[in-house]
Amino acid sequence: MAVPPSTYPRRLLPLFLGLFQAALLLFFALFVTYDEPSAQAEDTSLVANQVYSTFPFFQDIQVMLVVGLGLLLTFLPRYGFSSLTHNFLLLNFSMQWALVLQGLLHHFHHGQIHLDLHKLLISEFAAVTVLISVGAILGRASPCQLLVMATCEIPIYLASEWVIVTCLGVLDVGGTITIHIFSCYFGLGVSKALFRATQQPLHPKESPTPSSDLMSLVGTLILWVFWPSFVAVLCQPGDAQHRAILNTLLAMSASAITTVVASSLLERDGKLSPGHLQNGSLAGGVAIGVVADMAMPPVAALALGSLSAVLCVLGFRFLTPLLGRKLTLHDQCGIHNLHGLPGILGAAASVVAVLVASKDTSGSRPSELAPVGGNASRVAEGHWGGRGAGGQALCQAAGLAVALGASLLAGLVTGAALRLPCLARPPERLCFDDSLYFKIQDEAESPGPDGSAEEGALALKERV
């Protein structure tokens, strides 16, 4: 018997994921292994120290991405199940896909890829770009569209990161340029191409409620607490890592206080906007990443955190509506305000930090870095890789240009591909609704046997 057309999109998701996981099982069986246990006591001790020093940071980052970021996206009142689940699904899918690609590109030796915690951590950083990018189209895209977006974004990110870190020698230990700026403008490019020139009206299910805003604010608090681990995990242990933690804490503390000030001043009645608090409090962590382990006075970290919070709040208040009207640019989660604007500020700060860094004392020299991409930096301490301060500053600016240009272009192409009808983009009236993807046991809101389930099936049939 023929399968009804309305079931095609529902079967496409398990088919896509099932084939992907089966291919991954085969790939791991053939090519992936662990390092052989060492018989040398000193080697065993070295491995143990690396695990004990890295795994606590790794766990902090897991909490950030799974719990903190997932809850941050629950500000949509009827899309909470989907926000949490799709975030969790995309994290696992993107991490595994990045693990395969990075293994083939950088770690494939003698027919084998030797897996360790550091490679897994680097793959998880690659997955972060997807989790940020989907914020631009959250609620208006189907799970199949999100998975295709992740499939396209990961290899483009890896290529961009290789150019920025390895070829240009950009210093970016916290991923401000390679992760935050890239993912932001990739997501905006996808949004622009996916929705074209049509302005997206305010959806009746789009407005947050007090309970959904509260859940989102809890996510913000979790992200705020664990963010220093995200910035410092790939720093060289010792002074550089210590500086990165301190600078990140100072920047985020300043951004939290400044967000309250800016939000209150922008409202006529002096009340605070939950959306400003949810995002502005994190802006300092985005901006500080690129300079976190560089030697700079504590006041610089505080100033950078405050400026990033002001940019974020002003972006929500003025820039997002302006971009929506003039460019018909849809940005559901405001990723441009949280990741784009503070990221550009941080990149500019890195240029200034390189130019003004004093070289006559060891405390003011840049540290030897371990970039987000996992490739060990060859920049010698205090010598900017032989380029001089001016040359390194130009490299920082070039890295920003590459991240912006590559992400926007790739996002536009990917967004055009997501318009394929087979990917089952939800119709407008069913956006921001968990009932399209989940069994919601809520009799108070269920209209009965002829209600949302059949409406969703009919709507999907119309799209296919």
Side-chain angles (χ1 to χ4, degrees):
M1 190 171 81
V3 178
S6 62
T7 64
Y8 289 159
R10 299 178 186 274
R11 294 191 177 183
L12 183 60
L13 178 63
L15 178 64
F16 186 103
L17 289 174
L19 290 175
F20 169 79
Q21 201 63 61
L24 195 81
L25 286 170
L26 180 61
F27 179 83
F28 267 61
L30 295 175
F31 302 113
V32 180
T33 185
Y34 296 119
D35 289 325
E36 292 293 331
S38 175
Q40 300 294 326
E42 58 271 16
D43 292 340
T44 303
S45 176
L46 178 62
V47 172
N49 289 336
Q50 290 175 342
V51 172
Y52 295 148
S53 63
T54 302
F55 191 66
F57 287 105
F58 182 84
Q59 286 292 78
D60 290 351
I61 295 169
Q62 289 281 82
V63 174
M64 284 181 65
L65 302 181
V66 176
V67 184
L69 185 57
L71 289 176
L72 181 65
L73 301 177
T74 59
F75 66 94
L76 298 169
R78 298 188 62 178
Y79 203 68
F81 283 107
S82 300
S83 297
L84 282 166
T85 305
H86 293 164
N87 180 76
F88 186 50
L89 172 64
L90 287 170
L91 172 63
N92 286 280
F93 175 85
S94 302
M95 183 269 292
Q96 293 185 38
W97 179 224
L99 198 62
V100 169
L101 293 179
Q102 291 216 47
L104 291 174
L105 292 173
H106 301 300
H107 310 296
F108 195 73
H109 303 294
H110 307 294
Q112 292 289 322
I113 298 171
H114 291 269
L115 187 64
D116 58 29
L117 184 59
H118 184 264
K119 294 183 180 68
L120 199 63
L121 175 64
I122 298 307
S123 299
E124 197 145 290
F125 272 110
V128 174
T129 61
V130 176
L131 303 186
I132 294 172
S133 295
V134 298
I137 58 174
L138 185 72
R140 295 184 187 269
S142 68
C144 291
Q145 286 178 308
L146 299 181
L147 288 172
V148 171
M149 178 177 172
T151 303
C152 298
E153 184 172 2
I154 291 296
I156 298 167
Y157 160 76
L158 293 177
S160 169
E161 188 270 343
W162 179 79
V163 171
I164 293 171
V165 173
T166 304
C167 297
L168 295 177
V170 172
L171 307 178
D172 185 21
V173 73
T176 298
I177 298 173
T178 54
I179 292 179
H180 293 285
I181 291 177
F182 176 89
S183 57
C184 169
Y185 291 98
F186 184 92
L188 294 180
V190 169
S191 176
K192 180 62 178 177
L194 180 59
F195 303 121
R196 292 186 178 174
T198 57
Q199 189 163 359
Q200 301 298 317
L202 184 65
H203 197 281
K205 301 172 186 176
E206 190 176 352
S207 299
T209 62
S211 59
S212 68
D213 266 335
L214 180 61
M215 289 293 290
S216 183
L217 187 57
V218 171
T220 295
L221 299 180
I222 294 172
L223 287 167
W224 193 95
V225 169
F226 291 109
W227 203 290
S229 294
F230 181 87
V231 173
V233 62
L234 293 177
C235 291
Q236 290 293 320
D239 289 341
Q241 199 167 65
H242 188 205
R243 271 199 305 273
I245 293 172
L246 292 176
N247 284 332
T248 304
L249 286 171
L250 289 174
M252 297 196 71
S253 179
S255 66
I257 293 178
T258 306
T259 297
V260 174
V261 175
S263 180
S264 180
L265 290 177
L266 286 175
E267 299 296 332
R268 293 180 180 177
D269 54 6
K271 294 182 179 180
L272 303 178
S273 166
H276 294 167
L277 291 175
Q278 292 156 8
N279 293 274
S281 303
L282 303 174
V286 174
I288 197 66
V290 68
V291 295
D293 64 340
M294 295 183 185
M296 57 183 184
V299 67
L302 289 170
L304 192 58
S306 295
L307 286 174
S308 62
V310 170
L311 278 180
C312 181
V313 173
L314 291 177
F316 274 103
R317 186 68 172 83
F318 301 108
L319 189 57
T320 296
L322 180 65
L323 293 176
R325 290 194 307 268
K326 300 298 184 181
L327 301 179
T328 61
L329 185 61
H330 177 76
D331 183 6
Q332 184 62 49
C333 296
I335 61 173
H336 188 229
N337 307 313
L338 175 55
H339 302 277
L341 297 178
I344 293 174
L345 175 65
S350 72
V351 173
V352 175
V354 168
L355 291 175
V356 303
S358 172
K359 298 178 183 178
D360 54 357
T361 61
S362 60
S364 58
R365 295 173 183 168
S367 64
E368 186 177 356
L369 303 178
V372 169
N375 304 318
S377 175
R378 293 185 293 272
V379 178
E381 184 172 339
H383 298 290
W384 308 115
R387 285 183 292 267
Q392 184 62 42
L394 287 176
C395 288
Q396 297 296 116
L400 172 62
V402 169
L404 282 169
S407 59
L408 272 175
L409 179 60
L412 289 169
V413 174
T414 302
L418 296 187
R419 296 183 62 85
L420 292 172
C422 63
L423 297 180
R425 175 183 159 192
E428 184 65 22
R429 69 180 182 276
L430 293 177
C431 290
F432 310 110
D433 198 329
D434 286 326
S435 63
L436 189 58
Y437 308 110
F438 289 87
K439 283 187 175 181
I440 306 298
Q441 303 298 329
D442 190 349
E443 296 181 359
E445 296 184 3
S446 178
D450 297 326
S452 60
E454 288 199 8
E455 183 186 16
L458 289 173
L460 286 175
K461 185 175 180 179
E462 292 174 5
R463 298 297 303 171
V464 178

